[in-house]
Amino acid sequence: MSGQDAPINPTGDPYQLLQIVRNPDGTITRALDIPETPPTSDPSLPISVLSKDIPINQSNNTWVRIYLPREALDISSQPKLPLIVYYHGGGFIMSSAASSLLHDYCVNMANELRVIIASVEYRLAPEHRLPAAYDDAVEALYRIKTTQDDWLTKYADFSNCFIMGLSAGGNIAYHAGLRVAAEADHLGPLKIRGLILQQPFFGGTQRSDSELRLVNDPMLPLCVTDLMWELSLPIGVDCDHEYCNPTVAGGSKLLEKIRLLGWKVLVTGCDGDLLFDRQVELVKLLEEHGVHVVGHFGVGGCHGVDFHDSSRGKAFLEQVKNFI
């Protein structure tokens, strides 16, 4: 880690880059038009993966989109499929489980991995600052475990469940994992086998070498990550809060629970991502706590590279396939 603590202000307005406007009441206006795709649950359509939405908490407008490989309907005698509970990225402040990019990604992932995916719609900051997203993430797991939905009860192997997320979703998956590890006995019949953290979003007050090296990265500049943390963390705390920096005070005591449960953790990243050093540090932290962790780190690339580079996306899915 670098010893530099002072804020860095590269050229570029993060509000303009994110196309958001901060309002006097603390909310933001999101001007970026992110296309959305509705679910498709009709089995008569010639598609490989079906999808539908299940409400979680109507008062919070949270829900989960289930992706079911069509072949599960066609072959009733086959074993049940692993379940991946997925949390999307967007810096805690943007995007949705209904976004077309994410929908297509989950369709491909369900198809390639032969798994059922439950993609969670959680509340966004700053209207709902952390830990709201963590609360929603855990509530989704409890909703899934008690569901009477036939796609899940008939075709999902609840004893083979993984918690997964990209970027901010990876951060959410990590913190949701810590929470449910502490109460794993109450989560049955849902049994978590591990965490899949895809370029997870973490930070700290002390700038890392990769943050300094990629301060003006066109995909994810430091001014943007700073603003995301400013808008999402509880008011009055800095980036050495446990939600942002998992290494604070030597890491969460709940890591011991994850070790005892025998969960395994996959962390992926690349050195072209400003967050790279944070991800490497997380792997070292988990190793120090005796957690079974697998780190896959590539050369080059950028944040979100698995979405933008088909060859890297395929390589990532192969890593996940070998992991689960």
Side-chain angles (χ1 to χ4, degrees):
M1 298 292 293
S2 166
Q4 181 164 346
D5 295 299
I8 296 173
N9 295 305
T11 57
D13 177 358
Y15 289 93
Q16 185 177 14
L17 292 170
L18 292 171
Q19 297 184 44
I20 61 174
V21 176
R22 198 166 190 169
N23 302 316
D25 64 357
T27 64
I28 59 173
T29 298
R30 300 164 178 85
L32 183 63
D33 182 21
I34 300 178
E36 296 190 350
T37 298
T40 306
S41 60
D42 185 352
S44 68
L45 294 174
I47 53 178
S48 61
V49 176
L50 305 175
S51 56
K52 67 177 171 182
D53 295 342
I54 299 174
I56 297 174
N57 186 325
Q58 292 182 336
S59 64
N60 290 334
N61 195 29
T62 55
W63 44 270
V64 59
R65 179 164 295 183
I66 309 299
Y67 295 87
L68 176 70
R70 180 198 176 79
E71 65 181 56
L73 299 176
D74 299 334
I75 310 174
S76 58
S77 62
Q78 70 177 3
K80 290 188 174 184
L81 300 177
L83 175 64
I84 293 179
V85 181
Y86 186 90
Y87 306 105
H88 68 78
F92 306 105
I93 65 172
M94 302 179 73
S95 196
S96 164
S99 76
S100 297
L101 183 65
L102 179 63
H103 179 90
D104 293 345
Y105 187 76
C106 287
V107 165
N108 182 58
M109 186 159 53
N111 196 41
E112 292 293 323
L113 298 179
R114 293 190 69 254
V115 298
I116 294 174
I117 294 176
S119 178
V120 177
E121 177 78 347
Y122 56 84
R123 288 172 293 171
L124 298 178
E127 294 82 3
H128 306 281
R129 289 176 176 266
L130 296 175
Y134 305 153
D135 296 340
D136 296 343
V138 172
E139 187 175 22
L141 291 166
Y142 276 92
R143 175 72 176 89
I144 289 167
K145 92 166 189 113
T146 59
T147 185
Q148 298 302 309
D149 178 78
D150 60 343
W151 283 10
L152 291 174
T153 57
K154 287 184 179 180
Y155 307 114
D157 182 357
F158 277 23
S159 70
N160 192 16
C161 178
F162 292 84
I163 303 175
M164 177 179 178
L166 166 69
S167 190
N171 176 298
I172 293 169
Y174 178 77
H175 284 286
L178 290 175
R179 287 194 184 188
V180 296
E183 50 198 54
D185 293 341
H186 303 293
L187 205 58
L190 201 62
K191 187 168 185 178
I192 309 301
R193 296 293 184 179
L195 311 178
I196 302 170
L197 312 180
Q198 185 181 12
Q199 294 187 284
F201 183 27
F202 293 106
T205 56
Q206 191 175 9
R207 302 300 192 187
S208 73
D209 291 337
S210 62
E211 288 169 345
L212 295 173
R213 175 170 52 86
L214 296 165
V215 61
N216 292 316
D217 178 64
M219 184 60 68
L220 187 69
L222 189 61
C223 64
V224 165
T225 62
D226 282 351
L227 179 59
M228 287 172 167
W229 288 121
E230 179 185 339
L231 293 173
S232 60
L233 285 171
I235 292 174
V237 308
D238 64 21
C239 284
D240 278 335
H241 190 278
E242 62 180 321
Y243 296 164
C244 178
N245 187 347
T247 68
V248 167
S252 171
K253 291 180 173 57
L254 292 174
L255 290 174
E256 172 67 8
K257 185 68 173 176
I258 287 180
R259 183 188 70 81
L260 292 173
L261 287 167
W263 292 7
K264 52 186 181 178
V265 182
L266 173 64
V267 182
T268 69
C270 60
D271 66 6
D273 180 6
L274 174 142
L275 304 175
F276 173 71
D277 285 347
R278 305 292 181 183
Q279 297 151 5
V280 172
E281 280 187 339
L282 178 65
V283 170
K284 291 179 181 177
L285 174 71
L286 295 172
E287 289 175 340
E288 289 168 0
H289 283 264
V291 175
H292 178 191
V293 58
V294 177
H296 279 292
F297 297 106
V299 176
C302 61
H303 194 69
V305 67
D306 298 336
F307 273 80
H308 309 298
D309 184 322
S310 59
S311 63
R312 288 193 185 241
K314 288 179 181 178
F316 169 72
L317 290 181
E318 192 63 31
Q319 293 164 5
V320 175
K321 185 181 296 184
N322 294 332
F323 181 75
I324 64 176

